[in-house]
Amino acid sequence: MLPLVSVVIPFYDCPYVDQALNSVMNQTYANIEILVVDDGSTQFLDKVEPYMEKIKYIRKVNGGTATALNTGIVNASGDFFVWLSADDVFHPDKITKQIIVMLDNSGHFCHTSYSQINDKNQIIGTLKGFDFPKRIHLVNTLILGCIINGSSVMIDMGVFQSIGLFDESLRFTHDYDMWLRMLPHYEFYYLHEDLVQYRIHKNMGSTKYADEIQNEIIFVQEKHRAKTSQLVRFLQQETT
């Protein structure tokens, strides 16, 4: 039997959530469960209503994206976790292509490139991922900033049992923190294909909270500096 993939969609007052849901419904991979975690939304609930019979809908008090992701994970039944932001869209073959990579390599983590779209669904940028020739190049770049789009990832559920869930104390950089926690322990497989459409719009958090995000990035980098530096030294020795 094909592995079950749990797609977790954190939802908070997002007008594009129906487009996100449609993109999951239209996946070529069949064995999927969809968990919409409503993080205390007061708007656009009508856009979720038509899908209720096809999703697992979980409503909670507002606590931020990390809390919504963790709620989805602990209520999921799948072998693999996939995250889709409510304003983003999956390519129809995204899950199929990632499952192939994961199963062929007994992988624990896979991410993809992505395109950018605007509020009218027009493509405004392509191939925004990074295709590194060696692992050390990925590590050195990830140390400097978060280059992995959360909506592009697929993670073996066993990873969360090993290293824990997303850090709920981090409002903006829980994803970056997770990638750095995983980095010393797992191979990061990558597909240089635009399998996600990442929406750029005026209400996106990265624009509204730029200063706060930058402060959190510095905190997360310092938190992991000792382990990431140790990993770089190890990889340098491997290449000499």
Side-chain angles (χ1 to χ4, degrees), residues 199-216:
R199 193 180 304 275
I200 306 295
H201 57 93
K202 63 182 180 180
N203 291 319
M204 61 193 304
S206 57
T207 301
K208 293 168 65 176
Y209 305 106
D211 292 340
E212 294 95 324
I213 291 171
Q214 186 56 40
N215 289 334
E216 266 198 16

Side-chain angles (χ1 to χ4, degrees), residues 55-99:
I55 65 175
K56 182 182 288 187
Y57 176 78
I58 305 168
R59 183 167 173 85
K60 59 182 284 299
V61 296
N62 181 256
T65 304
T67 67
L69 289 170
N70 289 343
T71 298
I73 291 167
V74 299
N75 284 278
S77 304
D79 305 291
F80 294 98
F81 160 83
V82 166
W83 165 8
L84 176 57
S85 294
D87 47 3
D88 296 341
V89 176
F90 282 168
H91 183 281
D93 291 329
K94 177 188 185 287
I95 291 178
T96 294
K97 290 187 174 185
Q98 286 189 291
I99 277 289

Side-chain angles (χ1 to χ4, degrees), residues 43 52 56 67 88 97 118 126 167 186 191 218-219:
Q43 302 180 74
M52 285 299 190
K56 182 182 288 187
T67 67
D88 296 341
K97 290 187 174 185
N118 61 19
T126 59
D167 187 341
Y186 301 102
L191 284 167
I218 294 169
F219 171 80

Side-chain angles (χ1 to χ4, degrees), residues 2-3 5 10 18 62 73 86 93 97 111 135 150 157 191 235:
L2 292 172
V5 175
D18 56 332
N62 181 256
I73 291 167
D93 291 329
K97 290 187 174 185
H111 63 113
R135 188 180 181 209
M157 281 291 190
L191 284 167
L235 293 173

Side-chain angles (χ1 to χ4, degrees), residues 8-222:
V8 176
I9 304 177
F11 166 55
Y12 178 71
D13 290 353
C14 180
Y16 308 103
V17 65
D18 56 332
Q19 296 183 43
L21 281 162
N22 280 332
S23 76
V24 183
M25 300 287 181
N26 291 326
Q27 288 295 295
T28 57
Y29 189 81
N31 200 18
I32 294 173
E33 67 168 1
I34 305 170
L35 299 95
V36 173
V37 182
D38 180 347
D39 194 33
S41 292
T42 59
Q43 302 180 74
F44 308 114
L45 296 166
D46 58 307
K47 292 182 177 288
V48 178
E49 188 64 34
Y51 302 90
M52 285 299 190
E53 293 184 1
K54 298 180 179 179
I55 65 175
K56 182 182 288 187
Y57 176 78
I58 305 168
R59 183 167 173 85
K60 59 182 284 299
V61 296
N62 181 256
T65 304
T67 67
L69 289 170
N70 289 343
T71 298
I73 291 167
V74 299
N75 284 278
S77 304
D79 305 291
F80 294 98
F81 160 83
V82 166
W83 165 8
L84 176 57
S85 294
D87 47 3
D88 296 341
V89 176
F90 282 168
H91 183 281
D93 291 329
K94 177 188 185 287
I95 291 178
T96 294
K97 290 187 174 185
Q98 286 189 291
I99 277 289
I100 291 171
V101 171
M102 296 289 261
L103 296 182
D104 284 352
N105 296 281
S106 298
H108 293 86
F109 184 93
C110 177
H111 63 113
T112 79
S113 183
Y114 59 96
S115 60
Q116 294 174 326
I117 58 174
N118 61 19
D119 57 352
K120 298 178 177 63
N121 294 319
Q122 298 167 325
I123 294 176
I124 57 176
T126 59
L127 286 175
K128 295 300 180 179
F130 294 82
D131 191 9
F132 297 104
K134 293 184 178 180
R135 188 180 181 209
I136 191 169
H137 301 129
L138 164 68
V139 173
N140 279 326
T141 305
L142 198 54
I143 286 171
L144 299 176
C146 186
I147 57 166
I148 297 174
N149 187 301
S151 289
S152 80
V153 304
M154 176 179 285
I155 304 175
D156 187 306
M157 281 291 190
V159 169
F160 301 118
Q161 296 176 0
S162 297
I163 68 171
L165 298 173
F166 289 94
D167 187 341
E168 297 181 1
S169 71
L170 298 171
R171 184 179 177 190
F172 306 106
T173 58
H174 46 274
D175 54 346
Y176 187 28
D177 174 76
M178 177 63 77
W179 316 153
L180 292 180
R181 281 159 58 195
M182 291 180 63
L183 197 58
H185 307 289
Y186 301 102
E187 186 76 25
F188 282 25
Y189 293 98
Y190 174 70
L191 284 167
H192 196 52
E193 298 181 54
D194 288 342
L195 298 180
V196 175
Q197 292 182 334
Y198 172 68
R199 193 180 304 275
I200 306 295
H201 57 93
K202 63 182 180 180
N203 291 319
M204 61 193 304
S206 57
T207 301
K208 293 168 65 176
Y209 305 106
D211 292 340
E212 294 95 324
I213 291 171
Q214 186 56 40
N215 289 334
E216 266 198 16
I217 288 171
I218 294 169
F219 171 80
V220 168
Q221 289 170 338
E222 288 300 318

